[in-house]
Amino acid sequence: MRNIFVARAFKEDANAQAWAFRESGVVELNYGFTSAAMIYATAFCQFYDALATTAKDVDFADDDTEVLLMILEEIENSAFTPILVAENSRNQWRESGRIYAAHPALLDLPQSRNEGDYHSFVSATEEFAIAHEICHHLLGHTGVTHRRRSQVNALVQERLDRSGAQEICSNLNPDQLQEIEADVGAFLLIAGELSGQATRGRIYRSLAGSMLALVTLGHISENWISREGPGETHPGFIDRFDVMSRIVREFTIPLTRGSIGDHPLGLLLQFQGFISIVLQFWMSRAKSEVKDPHFLNIFSWMMDQAVELEKELNSRHNTETSS
């Protein structure tokens, strides 16, 4: 990638963009995107901490219903407040052209999360945004000629085919399809698949960065649903998330569980819960018939999904062992 250059920008939208200059590719990452990534990383950390607290510390068999409800209300507030503050701040950010965290809920990490983990999370989100734009160059979308263009295109199309995501892509226009291809290429690039050096750690980093980047962009731009028409260049968040979820599943399902019983699909499930809350809050404000989410409902759904995932992973392990 010697002819691709990456730079920081401080004007225009909170996003990243790729463009060609002579025979070279240029990628610009706007600082507003980094600010937004920091905000949504905090929101996800608070949500994750609320999940962990509920799973470990809440005794649902407690006979004191009043105390139990008070505990659950406090947990729900800790999980939902950062999301609500970001939701309510979005119009101000868009009008001013600046994204910033002025509310304590967007600045304070849960006690269980250290600064190093948090900044690693933010940098993974930035990496995905940059990798997405780099892949526009690698895939030939910007007119830059790259020697690995055919190879990268083949790998991306193979993953789209194997994951079943082509049915979503068939409803998109050519520009929107290029965005999907760049998303997939970015995931594979960070995971190490494009260089043949994929590792478990890189896969986790690519998963976290891609999911947080997509929900950050979707929430800031309010581009949740794909719109038809030749002027629509980007698919909506829901389509992008659906495709990436399929890619992640197809890519990671063969992996065995880690030393503590972890699996990348467990992390994907956590993001599915987080994103469902963000979406439902947005929908409850866009449509009067949609109600605000309830943390306990989300938690219960995630526990059910975790049980099904455990069964599937055990079944795959038993099948592989017996064969």
Side-chain angles (χ1 to χ4, degrees), residues 17 43-44 88 91 96 107 129 142 146 178 192-193 207 215 219 228 230 242 249 315:
Q17 60 179 332
F44 178 76
N88 295 332
N91 288 339
S96 67
L107 297 168
T142 61
H146 197 277
Q178 287 188 350
E193 178 71 2
L207 168 55
V215 73
H219 199 228
E228 298 180 357
D242 193 355
R249 177 176 174 78
S315 176

Side-chain angles (χ1 to χ4, degrees), residues 13 23 37 53 63-64 74 89 130 158 189 214 222 224 252:
D13 295 332
E23 297 299 318
T53 299
D63 293 333
D64 194 335
E74 183 177 346
S89 302
I130 293 171
E158 178 187 0
L189 178 60
L214 291 179
E222 208 169 6
W224 295 113
T252 65

Side-chain angles (χ1 to χ4, degrees), residues 132 135 139 141 153 156-157 160 174 176-186:
H132 172 98
C135 283
L139 292 163
H141 298 163
N153 263 301
V156 167
Q157 295 305 320
L160 286 170
Q176 293 171 328
L177 180 57
Q178 287 188 350
E179 296 301 322
I180 293 291
E181 292 171 345
D183 282 346
V184 176

